Amino acid sequence: MDVVRQLEEQDAIKCIDMHTTGEPTRIIYSGFPRLQGTLLEQRDQAKSQYDNIRKRLMWEPRGHYDMYGAIIIPETELIQSGEAHIGTLFTHNGGFSTMCGHATIALGRFLVDTHDLTVFPRRNELKPHLETREVQVNIHAPCGLVRVTVPTLADGQKSDPSRPVKFLSTPAYCAATNLEVNIPPEVRWPELGERTSIQVDISYGGAFYALVDVKQLGFSTGLRNFSLEAATFAVKKLKRHLETDDKVCQALQHPEDQRLSFLYSVMVVDHENGFKPDGVDGAETGLCFFAEDEIDRSPTGSCVAARMALAHAKKLRVKGQSWAYNSVVSNKYNNGAFIAEIVQDGITIEGQNAATRHGVIVRVQGSAYYTGSMSFVVEREDSISESGFLLQACAE
Protein backbone atom coordinates (compact mmCIF):
# COMPACT_ATOMS: atom_id res chain seq x y z
CA MET A 1 0.00 0.00 0.00
CA ASP A 2 1.22 3.49 -0.81
CA VAL A 3 2.74 5.25 2.22
CA VAL A 4 0.52 8.32 1.75
CA ARG A 5 -2.61 6.17 1.90
CA GLN A 6 -1.26 4.33 4.94
CA LEU A 7 -0.77 7.61 6.79
CA GLU A 8 -4.21 8.87 5.78
CA GLU A 9 -5.80 5.74 7.22
CA GLN A 10 -4.17 6.22 10.63
CA ASP A 11 -5.86 8.12 13.44
CA ALA A 12 -4.75 11.55 12.32
CA ILE A 13 -5.21 14.96 13.91
CA LYS A 14 -6.18 17.36 11.15
CA CYS A 15 -5.28 21.04 11.18
CA ILE A 16 -5.43 24.23 9.19
CA ASP A 17 -2.59 26.72 9.66
CA MET A 18 -3.15 30.48 9.41
CA HIS A 19 -1.31 33.61 10.49
CA THR A 20 -2.40 37.02 11.75
CA THR A 21 0.33 39.65 11.25
CA GLY A 22 2.80 36.78 11.27
CA GLU A 23 1.52 35.12 14.44
CA PRO A 24 0.54 31.48 13.75
CA THR A 25 -2.77 29.85 14.55
CA ARG A 26 -2.92 26.09 14.12
CA ILE A 27 -6.65 25.29 14.01
CA ILE A 28 -7.23 21.72 15.19
CA TYR A 29 -10.54 20.70 13.63
CA SER A 30 -10.50 16.91 13.77
CA GLY A 31 -8.89 14.13 15.81
CA PHE A 32 -8.55 15.80 19.22
CA PRO A 33 -10.25 13.67 21.91
CA ARG A 34 -13.84 14.63 22.67
CA LEU A 35 -14.15 16.60 25.92
CA GLN A 36 -17.04 16.84 28.39
CA GLY A 37 -18.71 19.47 30.57
CA THR A 38 -18.69 23.26 30.46
CA LEU A 39 -16.01 24.91 28.38
CA LEU A 40 -13.86 25.69 31.41
CA GLU A 41 -14.32 22.07 32.56
CA GLN A 42 -13.27 20.91 29.09
CA ARG A 43 -10.20 23.15 29.42
CA ASP A 44 -9.43 21.49 32.77
CA GLN A 45 -9.86 18.05 31.20
CA ALA A 46 -7.60 18.91 28.26
CA LYS A 47 -4.92 20.13 30.70
CA SER A 48 -5.11 17.08 32.98
CA GLN A 49 -5.65 14.27 30.46
CA TYR A 50 -4.45 15.37 27.02
CA ASP A 51 -1.57 17.74 27.60
CA ASN A 52 0.70 15.33 25.71
CA ILE A 53 -1.41 15.96 22.59
CA ARG A 54 -1.17 19.71 23.10
CA LYS A 55 2.62 19.36 23.25
CA ARG A 56 2.62 17.11 20.19
CA LEU A 57 0.83 19.78 18.16
CA MET A 58 2.62 22.85 19.53
CA TRP A 59 6.17 21.61 20.13
CA GLU A 60 8.81 20.21 17.79
CA PRO A 61 8.98 18.44 15.40
CA ARG A 62 5.47 19.44 14.24
CA GLY A 63 5.56 22.92 15.75
CA HIS A 64 8.08 25.19 17.42
CA TYR A 65 8.63 27.20 20.61
CA ASP A 66 6.38 30.07 19.46
CA MET A 67 3.55 28.00 17.97
CA TYR A 68 -0.06 28.80 18.86
CA GLY A 69 -3.24 26.78 18.39
CA ALA A 70 -7.02 26.76 18.60
CA ILE A 71 -8.99 23.56 19.14
CA ILE A 72 -12.52 23.51 17.72
CA ILE A 73 -15.03 22.57 20.45
CA PRO A 74 -18.42 21.65 18.93
CA GLU A 75 -20.48 21.57 22.16
CA THR A 76 -20.49 23.92 25.16
CA GLU A 77 -23.07 25.38 27.52
CA LEU A 78 -23.32 28.58 25.45
CA ILE A 79 -23.88 26.56 22.28
CA GLN A 80 -26.64 24.61 24.02
CA SER A 81 -28.29 27.86 25.13
CA GLY A 82 -28.15 29.26 21.60
CA GLU A 83 -25.74 32.11 22.43
CA ALA A 84 -22.75 30.66 20.59
CA HIS A 85 -22.30 28.82 17.30
CA ILE A 86 -19.03 27.07 18.21
CA GLY A 87 -16.47 26.86 21.01
CA THR A 88 -12.69 26.89 21.14
CA LEU A 89 -9.76 26.20 23.43
CA PHE A 90 -6.57 28.18 22.85
CA THR A 91 -3.18 26.48 23.19
CA HIS A 92 0.46 27.52 23.29
CA ASN A 93 3.88 26.28 24.38
CA GLY A 94 2.97 26.26 28.08
CA GLY A 95 -0.65 25.15 28.17
CA PHE A 96 -4.12 26.56 27.51
CA SER A 97 -4.95 30.27 27.52
CA THR A 98 -8.36 31.87 28.13
CA MET A 99 -8.56 34.32 25.22
CA CYS A 100 -6.66 35.13 22.05
CA GLY A 101 -7.51 37.91 19.61
CA HIS A 102 -5.24 36.94 16.74
CA ALA A 103 -6.56 33.37 16.81
CA THR A 104 -10.15 34.63 16.98
CA ILE A 105 -9.56 36.63 13.80
CA ALA A 106 -8.21 33.51 12.06
CA LEU A 107 -11.00 31.31 13.40
CA GLY A 108 -13.62 33.72 12.09
CA ARG A 109 -12.45 33.26 8.51
CA PHE A 110 -12.06 29.49 8.81
CA LEU A 111 -15.51 28.99 10.33
CA VAL A 112 -17.14 30.90 7.48
CA ASP A 113 -15.12 29.07 4.84
CA THR A 114 -15.77 25.54 6.08
CA HIS A 115 -19.08 23.96 5.11
CA ASP A 116 -18.27 20.61 6.71
CA LEU A 117 -20.94 20.00 9.36
CA THR A 118 -18.76 17.40 11.07
CA VAL A 119 -16.31 20.24 11.77
CA PHE A 120 -18.83 23.02 12.43
CA PRO A 121 -22.23 21.42 13.20
CA ARG A 122 -24.06 24.78 13.32
CA ARG A 123 -22.51 26.24 10.19
CA ASN A 124 -25.92 26.51 8.55
CA GLU A 125 -27.11 28.81 11.34
CA LEU A 126 -24.84 31.58 10.09
CA LYS A 127 -26.92 34.24 8.35
CA PRO A 128 -24.90 36.39 5.96
CA HIS A 129 -25.92 39.98 5.33
CA LEU A 130 -25.65 40.30 1.57
CA GLU A 131 -25.92 44.10 1.58
CA THR A 132 -22.98 44.63 3.92
CA ARG A 133 -21.29 41.40 2.82
CA GLU A 134 -20.68 40.31 6.41
CA VAL A 135 -21.66 37.42 8.65
CA GLN A 136 -21.56 37.12 12.44
CA VAL A 137 -20.04 34.11 14.16
CA ASN A 138 -20.43 33.79 17.93
CA ILE A 139 -17.46 31.93 19.43
CA HIS A 140 -17.45 30.63 23.00
CA ALA A 141 -13.94 31.21 24.36
CA PRO A 142 -12.92 30.23 27.90
CA CYS A 143 -13.28 33.89 28.98
CA GLY A 144 -16.81 34.15 27.56
CA LEU A 145 -18.72 34.94 24.37
CA VAL A 146 -16.78 36.64 21.57
CA ARG A 147 -18.88 38.06 18.74
CA VAL A 148 -16.99 37.99 15.45
CA THR A 149 -17.95 39.77 12.23
CA VAL A 150 -16.38 38.25 9.13
CA PRO A 151 -16.41 39.96 5.71
CA THR A 152 -17.71 37.78 2.90
CA LEU A 153 -17.75 37.63 -0.85
CA ALA A 154 -20.96 38.60 -2.63
CA ASP A 155 -22.74 35.25 -2.09
CA GLY A 156 -22.00 35.24 1.65
CA GLN A 157 -20.54 31.73 1.54
CA LYS A 158 -16.84 32.50 1.67
CA SER A 159 -14.75 34.99 3.61
CA ASP A 160 -13.23 38.00 1.87
CA PRO A 161 -9.48 38.25 2.67
CA SER A 162 -9.30 41.81 1.34
CA ARG A 163 -11.25 43.20 4.32
CA PRO A 164 -10.53 42.80 8.05
CA VAL A 165 -12.28 40.54 10.53
CA LYS A 166 -13.73 42.33 13.57
CA PHE A 167 -14.58 41.02 17.01
CA LEU A 168 -16.21 42.43 20.12
CA SER A 169 -14.26 41.64 23.27
CA THR A 170 -15.67 40.18 26.43
CA PRO A 171 -15.80 42.90 29.14
CA ALA A 172 -12.31 44.36 29.52
CA TYR A 173 -11.24 46.35 32.55
CA CYS A 174 -8.33 48.03 34.29
CA ALA A 175 -7.33 46.11 37.43
CA ALA A 176 -4.55 48.36 38.80
CA THR A 177 -2.57 51.39 37.68
CA ASN A 178 0.90 52.64 38.47
CA LEU A 179 1.86 49.79 40.78
CA GLU A 180 5.35 50.43 42.14
CA VAL A 181 7.12 47.07 41.92
CA ASN A 182 10.46 46.65 43.67
CA ILE A 183 13.12 44.88 41.62
CA PRO A 184 15.55 43.05 43.93
CA PRO A 185 19.21 42.65 42.92
CA GLU A 186 18.84 39.05 41.77
CA VAL A 187 16.06 40.04 39.33
CA ARG A 188 17.63 43.14 37.78
CA TRP A 189 18.86 43.27 34.20
CA PRO A 190 21.68 45.43 32.76
CA GLU A 191 19.48 48.09 31.10
CA LEU A 192 17.73 48.85 34.39
CA GLY A 193 20.87 50.54 35.68
CA GLU A 194 20.65 51.82 39.25
CA ARG A 195 16.86 51.81 39.43
CA THR A 196 15.36 49.58 42.10
CA SER A 197 11.70 49.68 41.05
CA ILE A 198 9.42 50.11 38.02
CA GLN A 199 5.78 51.07 37.50
CA VAL A 200 3.37 48.47 36.15
CA ASP A 201 -0.30 48.54 35.14
CA ILE A 202 -2.55 45.46 35.25
CA SER A 203 -5.45 45.17 32.82
CA TYR A 204 -7.79 42.40 31.65
CA GLY A 205 -8.96 41.72 28.10
CA GLY A 206 -9.97 38.06 28.39
CA ALA A 207 -6.66 37.35 30.12
CA PHE A 208 -4.56 39.41 32.52
CA TYR A 209 -1.69 41.53 31.22
CA ALA A 210 1.04 43.43 33.05
CA LEU A 211 1.78 46.51 30.98
CA VAL A 212 5.08 48.34 31.34
CA ASP A 213 6.53 51.22 29.34
CA VAL A 214 9.65 50.15 27.44
CA LYS A 215 11.63 53.03 28.93
CA GLN A 216 10.74 51.82 32.44
CA LEU A 217 12.79 48.75 31.53
CA GLY A 218 15.72 50.94 30.54
CA PHE A 219 15.47 50.70 26.74
CA SER A 220 15.92 54.35 25.81
CA THR A 221 15.33 53.92 22.06
CA GLY A 222 11.92 52.33 22.56
CA LEU A 223 10.80 49.44 20.38
CA ARG A 224 12.80 50.61 17.36
CA ASN A 225 16.48 49.75 16.96
CA PHE A 226 16.48 47.79 20.20
CA SER A 227 17.97 44.45 21.19
CA LEU A 228 15.27 41.79 21.11
CA GLU A 229 17.62 39.42 22.92
CA ALA A 230 18.17 41.91 25.75
CA ALA A 231 14.45 42.70 26.02
CA THR A 232 13.65 38.99 26.17
CA PHE A 233 16.19 38.48 28.95
CA ALA A 234 14.73 41.39 30.95
CA VAL A 235 11.07 40.42 30.58
CA LYS A 236 11.75 36.76 31.30
CA LYS A 237 13.14 37.78 34.70
CA LEU A 238 10.44 40.39 35.26
CA LYS A 239 7.47 38.11 34.51
CA ARG A 240 8.56 35.49 37.03
CA HIS A 241 9.02 38.21 39.63
CA LEU A 242 5.60 39.76 38.97
CA GLU A 243 3.92 36.40 39.43
CA THR A 244 5.06 36.43 43.08
CA ASP A 245 4.50 40.13 43.85
CA ASP A 246 1.69 40.62 46.40
CA LYS A 247 0.26 43.78 44.81
CA VAL A 248 0.23 42.20 41.38
CA CYS A 249 -1.35 38.96 42.61
CA GLN A 250 -4.09 40.93 44.35
CA ALA A 251 -4.90 42.73 41.08
CA LEU A 252 -5.12 39.41 39.21
CA GLN A 253 -8.27 38.23 41.02
CA HIS A 254 -11.08 37.96 38.47
CA PRO A 255 -14.59 38.56 39.84
CA GLU A 256 -16.25 35.67 38.05
CA ASP A 257 -13.94 32.64 38.07
CA GLN A 258 -10.66 31.86 39.83
CA ARG A 259 -9.50 29.93 36.78
CA LEU A 260 -9.15 33.28 34.98
CA SER A 261 -6.99 34.72 37.79
CA PHE A 262 -3.41 34.39 36.55
CA LEU A 263 -0.84 36.57 34.82
CA TYR A 264 -0.83 35.54 31.18
CA SER A 265 1.58 38.07 29.74
CA VAL A 266 3.90 41.03 30.10
CA MET A 267 3.25 43.61 27.40
CA VAL A 268 6.08 46.07 26.80
CA VAL A 269 4.59 49.29 25.40
CA ASP A 270 6.07 52.08 23.32
CA HIS A 271 3.58 54.96 23.15
CA GLU A 272 5.83 57.07 20.90
CA ASN A 273 6.32 54.76 17.90
CA GLY A 274 4.01 52.88 15.59
CA PHE A 275 2.70 52.64 12.03
CA LYS A 276 -0.45 54.80 11.77
CA PRO A 277 -2.96 53.72 9.12
CA ASP A 278 -5.30 56.27 7.59
CA GLY A 279 -8.41 57.18 9.55
CA VAL A 280 -7.21 56.41 13.08
CA ASP A 281 -6.56 58.89 15.86
CA GLY A 282 -3.23 57.55 17.03
CA ALA A 283 -0.83 54.61 17.10
CA GLU A 284 1.56 52.81 19.41
CA THR A 285 3.60 49.62 19.55
CA GLY A 286 3.72 46.66 21.90
CA LEU A 287 5.93 43.63 22.37
CA CYS A 288 4.04 40.81 24.05
CA PHE A 289 5.75 38.06 26.05
CA PHE A 290 3.22 35.40 27.00
CA ALA A 291 2.94 31.82 28.22
CA GLU A 292 6.47 30.36 28.61
CA ASP A 293 8.24 33.40 27.17
CA GLU A 294 6.65 33.19 23.73
CA ILE A 295 6.84 36.41 21.73
CA ASP A 296 3.69 37.41 19.86
CA ARG A 297 4.32 38.45 16.28
CA SER A 298 0.91 40.12 16.12
CA PRO A 299 -0.26 43.18 18.09
CA THR A 300 -2.06 40.77 20.49
CA GLY A 301 -5.82 41.25 20.17
CA SER A 302 -6.86 40.42 23.72
CA CYS A 303 -4.22 42.80 25.03
CA VAL A 304 -5.49 45.46 22.65
CA ALA A 305 -8.81 45.20 24.51
CA ALA A 306 -6.93 45.36 27.83
CA ARG A 307 -4.93 48.39 26.68
CA MET A 308 -8.05 50.23 25.53
CA ALA A 309 -9.67 49.53 28.91
CA LEU A 310 -6.56 50.83 30.66
CA ALA A 311 -6.42 53.98 28.52
CA HIS A 312 -10.13 54.57 29.19
CA ALA A 313 -9.59 54.22 32.95
CA LYS A 314 -6.75 56.74 32.72
CA LYS A 315 -9.02 59.07 30.70
CA LEU A 316 -6.71 58.84 27.71
CA ARG A 317 -9.24 57.17 25.39
CA VAL A 318 -12.96 57.78 24.94
CA LYS A 319 -15.78 55.76 23.43
CA GLY A 320 -15.65 55.82 19.62
CA GLN A 321 -12.00 56.88 19.38
CA SER A 322 -9.99 54.62 17.07
CA TRP A 323 -6.42 53.61 17.79
CA ALA A 324 -3.84 51.53 15.94
CA TYR A 325 -1.88 48.92 17.87
CA ASN A 326 1.29 47.61 16.29
CA SER A 327 3.77 44.80 16.78
CA VAL A 328 7.37 44.91 15.59
CA VAL A 329 6.19 42.91 12.56
CA SER A 330 3.46 45.36 11.54
CA ASN A 331 5.91 48.23 11.97
CA LYS A 332 8.44 46.44 9.77
CA TYR A 333 5.95 46.02 6.92
CA ASN A 334 3.68 49.04 7.57
CA ASN A 335 0.85 46.54 7.48
CA GLY A 336 -1.06 44.37 9.95
CA ALA A 337 -1.82 46.80 12.78
CA PHE A 338 -4.92 45.99 14.84
CA ILE A 339 -7.43 48.84 14.89
CA ALA A 340 -9.56 49.18 18.02
CA GLU A 341 -12.26 51.38 19.49
CA ILE A 342 -14.43 51.28 22.59
CA VAL A 343 -18.04 50.64 21.56
CA GLN A 344 -19.61 50.40 25.03
CA ASP A 345 -18.56 51.64 28.45
CA GLY A 346 -20.02 51.44 31.93
CA ILE A 347 -19.99 47.61 31.90
CA THR A 348 -20.31 46.04 35.37
CA ILE A 349 -18.44 42.80 36.07
CA GLU A 350 -19.70 41.20 39.26
CA GLY A 351 -18.80 37.99 41.01
CA GLN A 352 -18.03 36.29 44.29
CA ASN A 353 -14.26 35.97 43.94
CA ALA A 354 -13.23 39.63 43.88
CA ALA A 355 -14.50 43.20 43.95
CA THR A 356 -16.94 44.38 41.31
CA ARG A 357 -15.17 45.87 38.29
CA HIS A 358 -16.30 48.42 35.71
CA GLY A 359 -15.17 47.90 32.16
CA VAL A 360 -15.70 48.39 28.46
CA ILE A 361 -16.46 46.44 25.29
CA VAL A 362 -13.82 46.91 22.60
CA ARG A 363 -14.08 46.26 18.87
CA VAL A 364 -10.79 44.93 17.46
CA GLN A 365 -10.08 44.34 13.79
CA GLY A 366 -7.29 42.65 11.90
CA SER A 367 -6.58 40.29 9.01
CA ALA A 368 -5.62 36.61 8.92
CA TYR A 369 -4.47 34.43 6.05
CA TYR A 370 -4.16 30.72 5.29
CA THR A 371 -0.72 29.13 5.17
CA GLY A 372 -1.41 25.41 4.88
CA SER A 373 -3.24 22.25 5.92
CA MET A 374 -1.93 19.03 7.39
CA SER A 375 -2.71 15.69 9.02
CA PHE A 376 -0.48 14.76 11.95
CA VAL A 377 0.17 11.16 12.96
CA VAL A 378 2.42 9.30 15.40
CA GLU A 379 3.99 5.97 14.54
CA ARG A 380 3.94 3.49 17.40
CA GLU A 381 7.73 3.29 17.55
CA ASP A 382 8.23 7.09 17.66
CA SER A 383 8.86 7.90 21.32
CA ILE A 384 10.59 11.22 20.58
CA SER A 385 7.67 12.98 18.91
CA GLU A 386 4.70 11.33 20.68
CA SER A 387 4.55 14.21 23.16
CA GLY A 388 6.78 16.59 21.24
CA PHE A 389 9.89 18.25 22.61
CA LEU A 390 11.55 21.64 22.93
CA LEU A 391 15.18 21.93 21.91
CA GLN A 392 15.86 24.31 24.82
CA ALA A 393 14.82 21.58 27.28
CA CYS A 394 17.11 19.03 25.60
CA ALA A 395 20.13 21.18 26.52
CA GLU A 396 19.29 21.32 30.22
Side-chain angles (χ1 to χ4, degrees):
M1 184 184 295
D2 182 82
V3 66
V4 174
R5 187 182 305 172
Q6 286 181 322
L7 291 175
E8 288 177 347
E9 290 180 357
Q10 290 190 39
D11 292 331
I13 297 178
K14 298 181 180 180
C15 310
I16 293 288
D17 270 14
M18 302 183 71
H19 84 90
T20 313
T21 320
E23 179 68 7
T25 300
R26 174 160 289 165
I27 299 172
I28 299 101
Y29 68 87
S30 177
F32 197 89
R34 196 63 176 261
L35 305 170
Q36 304 295 325
T38 67
L39 187 59
L40 282 173
E41 289 170 348
Q42 291 186 60
R43 179 174 176 266
D44 292 340
Q45 184 184 5
K47 289 169 64 177
S48 64
Q49 297 182 28
Y50 302 113
D51 202 46
N52 64 315
I53 300 178
R54 188 267 306 174
K55 293 174 182 176
R56 183 191 310 168
L57 295 169
M58 296 295 101
W59 292 4
E60 300 179 53
R62 299 169 187 85
H64 53 79
Y65 193 83
D66 293 300
M67 179 55 74
Y68 200 92
I71 304 167
I72 297 291
I73 304 295
E75 202 64 49
T76 76
E77 67 274 24
L78 292 190
I79 297 171
Q80 292 172 352
S81 69
E83 298 173 76
H85 297 112
I86 196 74
T88 186
L89 293 178
F90 299 117
T91 70
H92 48 64
N93 70 2
F96 295 82
S97 52
T98 55
M99 176 54 190
C100 180
H102 90 269
T104 294
I105 291 167
L107 275 170
R109 282 200 64 199
F110 170 74
L111 292 168
V112 170
D113 290 339
T114 185
H115 291 261
D116 186 340
L117 298 184
T118 65
V119 173
F120 186 3
R122 303 199 178 213
R123 171 63 180 80
N124 292 338
E125 294 181 10
L126 301 187
K127 304 299 181 185
H129 298 277
L130 298 183
E131 291 185 3
T132 60
R133 292 190 295 140
E134 293 177 331
V135 62
Q136 183 168 316
V137 186
N138 293 333
I139 299 176
H140 185 186
C143 65
L145 183 67
V146 183
R147 292 162 288 175
V148 187
T149 300
V150 182
T152 68
L153 300 179
D155 63 2
Q157 300 303 303
K158 191 175 186 302
S159 68
D160 179 0
S162 70
R163 293 183 288 147
V165 174
K166 304 173 183 177
F167 70 86
L168 295 178
S169 71
T170 56
Y173 68 88
C174 169
T177 59
N178 302 321
L179 291 180
E180 194 76 20
V181 176
N182 292 324
I183 308 297
E186 66 273 15
V187 176
R188 293 173 197 159
W189 49 93
E191 291 75 14
L192 192 61
E194 300 300 317
R195 297 181 60 190
T196 60
S197 67
I198 62 171
Q199 286 192 339
V200 174
D201 298 317
I202 306 295
S203 197
Y204 177 83
F208 279 104
Y209 293 84
L211 298 111
V212 57
D213 189 283
V214 62
K215 292 183 179 178
Q216 286 275 318
L217 300 180
F219 292 86
S220 59
T221 63
L223 291 176
R224 288 190 185 274
N225 301 316
F226 73 106
S227 169
L228 182 60
E229 182 180 6
T232 301
F233 178 77
V235 176
K236 184 175 181 179
K237 301 192 78 173
L238 176 62
K239 185 171 188 284
R240 281 149 182 74
H241 178 59
L242 293 178
E243 289 170 337
T244 65
D245 183 87
D246 290 340
K247 295 189 296 293
V248 171
C249 292
Q250 184 177 355
L252 297 175
Q253 301 309 302
H254 193 277
E256 295 176 332
D257 198 302
Q258 190 63 29
R259 288 170 290 189
L260 303 175
S261 300
F262 63 96
L263 181 61
Y264 178 54
S265 164
V266 172
M267 171 63 82
V268 180
V269 180
D270 184 345
H271 296 283
E272 299 175 4
N273 290 308
F275 164 63
K276 184 176 178 291
D278 294 337
V280 301
D281 298 314
E284 59 189 62
T285 300
L287 184 63
C288 179
F289 296 84
F290 69 96
E292 296 298 321
D293 307 311
E294 286 196 46
I295 300 176
D296 198 338
R297 277 68 172 159
S298 85
T300 312
S302 50
C303 193
V304 164
R307 289 158 77 182
M308 287 292 277
L310 176 64
H312 183 268
K314 290 186 172 185
K315 304 188 185 306
L316 300 173
R317 208 85 74 243
V318 297
K319 181 180 174 182
Q321 186 177 18
S322 63
W323 211 259
Y325 290 89
N326 285 279
S327 66
V328 294
V329 174
S330 67
N331 280 337
K332 171 70 174 179
Y333 293 98
N334 288 333
N335 188 13
F338 288 177
I339 310 299
E341 66 175 293
I342 295 169
V343 297
Q344 188 177 351
D345 54 16
I347 302 294
T348 300
I349 307 146
E350 297 182 0
Q352 299 178 347
N353 297 321
T356 297
R357 299 289 189 173
H358 300 284
V360 296
I361 301 294
V362 182
R363 180 188 292 121
V364 182
Q365 69 176 48
S367 297
Y369 303 96
Y370 292 98
T371 56
S373 63
M374 64 289 299
S375 295
F376 289 124
V377 300
V378 178
E379 292 189 283
R380 184 171 56 251
E381 298 82 4
D382 183 6
S383 61
I384 289 178
S385 87
E386 196 281 331
S387 293
F389 68 90
L390 294 174
L391 184 61
Q392 293 91 327
C394 295
E396 294 176 353

